[in-house]
Amino acid sequence: RKEVEQDPGPFNVPEGATVAFNCTYSNSASQSFFWYRQDCRKEPKLLMSVYSSGNEDGRFTAQLNRASQYISLLIRDSKLSDSATYLCVVTPPGAGGTSYGKLTFGQGTILTVHP
Amino acid sequence: NAGVTQTPKFRVLKTGQSMTLLCAQDMNHEYMYWYRQDPGMGLRLIHYSVGEGTTAKGEVPDGYNVSRLKKQNFLLGLESAAPSQTSVYFCASSYPVGSYTDTQYFGPGTRLTVL
């Protein structure tokens, strides 16, 4: 089983649509959770961190369910500029309580927003 | 600030040749990482460093060596390139905050083809 698994996608949605991505992680002791965005042939960039209480940043809402080991990302009112690959990212547990910032990435979900 | 830079951006090698990828960051970050990204596999950690003079193995270290002689630089070496090392290589850096680490910032990537 992969450590971080995402919806395979791709997702093709019209402008203005609401789209949701899901992700599961295998290690219940994982420490931190993120969504990164990667544009075509570019480097990944942090989109948002994910907290148990849920967090929102404009049109983006992220949720974490530790009991189910499940992470989600909701994008409302999709824009053409939202077209990208969305990476679910987890910080695994580390020896002595620190992971040294190491990240485990899901394989990514491709989103295409069309006019 | 330039952030994280990588040299070279593209390279084609023949099987058995050697090369070094250079990563430089000007953000005074303690932690640095090398990842490879292959289609359908997500990013996988090759090696990482938690400070000048230190290195450690990640998920896929075989066939690679690293060095961190200066805090701002992290070098990735391929001693004898193999076609299986054809990939996009990303460097990243971050700064520890207490027992957690801050966002990882990625370089633009190096596209390596081994024939």
Side-chain angles (χ1 to χ4, degrees):
Chain A
R1 181 183 174 188
K2 291 182 180 178
E3 291 188 54
V4 180
E5 293 202 63
Q6 297 185 235
D7 279 353
F11 288 73
N12 292 286
V13 302
E15 277 187 288
T18 296
V19 61
F21 303 141
N22 304 314
C23 168
T24 58
Y25 59 97
S26 61
N27 193 324
S28 60
S30 296
Q31 298 178 337
S32 304
F33 309 88
F34 311 92
W35 284 100
Y36 275 70
R37 170 193 169 127
Q38 186 174 25
D39 292 314
C40 188
R41 301 179 74 84
K42 299 287 188 180
E43 72 272 22
K45 293 183 180 178
L46 178 68
L47 178 65
M48 58 197 304
S49 300
V50 189
Y51 306 110
S52 297
S53 56
N55 49 302
E56 188 174 309
D57 183 2
R59 298 180 292 108
F60 299 83
T61 300
Q63 294 276 355
L64 167 65
N65 184 322
R66 282 191 179 268
S68 301
Q69 295 176 212
Y70 174 93
I71 306 163
S72 65
L73 176 68
L74 182 75
I75 305 175
R76 293 181 300 278
D77 190 23
S78 298
K79 310 292 185 190
L80 295 176
S81 58
D82 294 334
S83 297
T85 297
Y86 290 83
L87 305 168
C88 178
V89 184
V90 172
T91 300
T98 178
S99 63
Y100 297 112
K102 290 183 289 181
L103 301 177
T104 300
F105 288 78
Q107 74 269 38
T109 301
I110 298 172
L111 171 66
T112 301
V113 181
H114 58 81
Chain B
N1 286 353
V4 180
T5 58
Q6 292 183 232
T7 308
K9 289 185 170 54
F10 303 93
R11 185 73 186 268
V12 178
L13 290 179
K14 294 181 180 178
T15 297
Q17 288 185 318
S18 64
M19 76 164 295
T20 299
L21 283 67
L22 171 64
C23 175
Q25 52 95 4
D26 60 3
M27 298 176 283
N28 199 34
H29 284 172
E30 291 291 334
Y31 294 177
M32 296 187 74
Y33 313 85
W34 275 108
Y35 295 90
R36 61 178 288 174
Q37 184 174 33
D38 303 296
M41 298 288 290
L43 278 81
R44 292 181 291 168
L45 183 65
I46 304 171
H47 285 280
Y48 65 101
S49 168
V50 299
E52 182 179 317
T54 74
T55 62
K57 294 180 179 180
E59 181 186 354
V60 288
D62 294 342
Y64 305 95
N65 56 77
V66 288
S67 64
R68 184 117 180 254
L69 299 180
K70 294 183 179 180
K71 184 177 182 179
Q72 63 267 33
N73 295 338
F74 194 28
L75 278 62
L76 178 71
L78 286 72
E79 289 187 350
S80 180
S84 60
Q85 294 178 304
T86 294
S87 188
V88 180
Y89 292 86
F90 287 103
C91 176
S93 70
S94 67
Y95 192 84
V97 179
S99 61
Y100 298 95
T101 53
D102 204 347
T103 305
Q104 281 194 21
Y105 294 87
F106 284 80
T110 295
R111 296 184 178 277
L112 175 66
T113 301
V114 183
L115 303 176

